[in-house]
Amino acid sequence: MTSLTTTTSPTGDGPPVVNEVAGVPGGIGAEARAARADALDAWLRGILPGREGIALIAVGGLGRRQCAPYGDLDLVLLHAGVPGTDELAASLWYPIWDAGLRLDHSVRTVAEALSVAQDDVKVALGLLDARFLAGDRALADQLIHTATDHWRRTAVRQLPKLREITEARWATHGELAFLLEGDLKEAAGGLRDVGLLRAIATAGVTDALRPAVHAAHRRLLDTRDALHQQVGRRVDRLVAQERDGVAALLGLRQLQLGASDPAQRPEAVAEAGDGDALLRRVAGDARTVSHALDDAWRAADRLRAGRHRTAGGRPLRRPVARDVVEQDGELVLARAAIGARPDPSLSLRVAAAAATTRLPIARATCEWLAAYCPPLPAPWPPAARAALITLLGAGPGLVPAWETCDRYGLIDGWLPEWTRLRSLPQHNPVHRFTLDRHLVQAAYEASRHTRDVDRPDLLLLGAFLHDIGKGLPGDHSTVGAPLAEAVAARIGLPEDEAALIAKLVRLHLLLPDVATRRDLSDPKTVAGVAERVGDTTTLDLLHGLVRADAAATGPAAWSDWKGRLVAELVARVRTALDTGVVPAPPAPDPALVAGPLPVVHLGEDRVSVAAADRRGLLATVAGCLALHRLEVVSADAATVDGRALVQCRVQPRYGLAPDPIALSADLRRAVSGDVSVTQRLRGRALAARGQGAAPRVVWHREAATDAVLLELRAADAAGLLYRVACALDEAGAQVRAARISTLGGDVVDAFYLVGGWPSDADRARIEAAVLAAV
């Protein structure tokens, strides 16, 4: 039988093809979804024979009449104990399967369905969407009305279990508002959560389905429709490669010039989908849904706990801050604050109180503040500035308080720049959050380090503003510095402190970049950082900012070895700033310069090798480590008293440490020239090469005291260091040190080549050899 689902054109960018046999239309939007429901209703009624005591009920998307182009059918065959039910069910299910539709089905009596709903809260929710399709309407109405009535009577008791299930789902799927490739249905703020709001509203707990939620829900449904139509099958995860196509189907378009000749450009303008605009819209809608659900959970908690009243019957109120009191577990304004002329700092002070007490702000209070709180003057009054610093330093309470204020437009009144930053995607996969949430998260993470610095307020503000330049042309650190300085001046910081905020923003990548890409034992490296930082106060602020930024970015942005490298650089720079003397390079491990050769030492994250002086030792060691699935994050090579020394910091590539006995044996054989090990590691390391954009080589002539720096930017791959080290060795270049920096799927590998290498021809030859090895 012909499938009932819609199809798209072969390219995926044409209009939906309507199935002429079944009459199920494609398309996007509420009318298209309703038309699909009508067509499916008519078809299903046609294949169910009329029989007393039998009813067909739709739940899920068909029950709600919100059918996606490639959605499932969720059906319940309800019966009153009549014979032949199993045969009747088979005569109904098989035509649906033959039509190519995915089907979730059950066969139950009214009592059985209610019993299952009583034991399983998810089934109880599903029955709230139940809709009669065909058969015995009275039987269907009995189930639908009884299930709804039972939910209304028991919802308050069942909501805690439902919340537990929901939070487990969120832990698995994340927050839709902050994901680059979120699940439109299952992630927090997605379509599944709208179903929870509908259930809570049905129970009469609160008016959860406000107009803003309805609008967000409609747009999320449209996005899923477009995603199905773009991909040509059922899929709920909005992956990167489909974003532009989905955006185009939704009418979110950007102009692209189709010709390089300026004279032809006006005639060659083509429209393409704006994937970033789609992500920002989805993020805003998901936040609306999440915020409404937070309100609904709190309303349910208050209903379950009961209201706290005074002896006179009035709500119990407890002062928590100036002009702010707690009432029924929420923060509301004191009566004096409402009656008096509002203070411009009032909204910030309420937000700070919410963050420090970890209590939510009542919806009515947020609406009042948005409507009546006057704008802040420039510069801000001290009370507003103090409230902002308190808010940013509140720790775990910061994010929910900030999100609440953002949903009601209060943030835009504090920081006009926020409109540009809100829900801005960050396409590097190491980032787990949109830009605005990343900045708030960075301030939260910085609060963990406020006791490590002389000026905790500047650390919090610097962390909050460090990426303010993103989304604008140019290097975001450079572009963002004057923007951050302007914000700091507007909130009332003195000129010198505002300049320091700009310096923190401009230099916020300095420490991690140098620590992971430069030789920390080279005096020129330390002197260069000390010169740019200038003083230990700034150094400590940058160190705290680096750790906060990395923690707010995501797990891939930080590791123990990176933390140790940054800490080592900070310690060396501090010594240089305190004493004016650059620390001397550390002496080689005494165990490597004495005793019989070869010497192999394995530590927790270090591998040290000494062998008879010969070329190619670094390449041999790197290849052997790659063979044992170890990533090299830094490498140092030296020659002492006729011995070649190689010391590497390593980490397991897949999280599992290698067998130390096997690794030690292979290293000893390899550095002794065992051909079998060399051949084995060469074949394995050369087998996997990186993909992506073309690799690039950058030369830094003045970055080291006794070497020239070759920086390779390429896709990450197993054995890359081995291949490049071999190529450099064969080209006659001696590597004194190497630093391996991995960010997502790319690497920036720095190689210190002994000598000046002044010849353009020699550098071109080296560069060609390195690129060929990649």
Side-chain angles (χ1 to χ4, degrees), residues 57 206 407:
I57 293 176
T206 182
R407 298 317 300 164

Side-chain angles (χ1 to χ4, degrees), residues 709-729:
L709 188 63
L710 181 151
E711 195 173 77
L712 171 65
R713 302 173 184 179
D716 190 18
L720 179 62
L721 175 60
Y722 166 67
R723 295 197 303 273
V724 175
C726 284
L728 290 170
D729 182 61

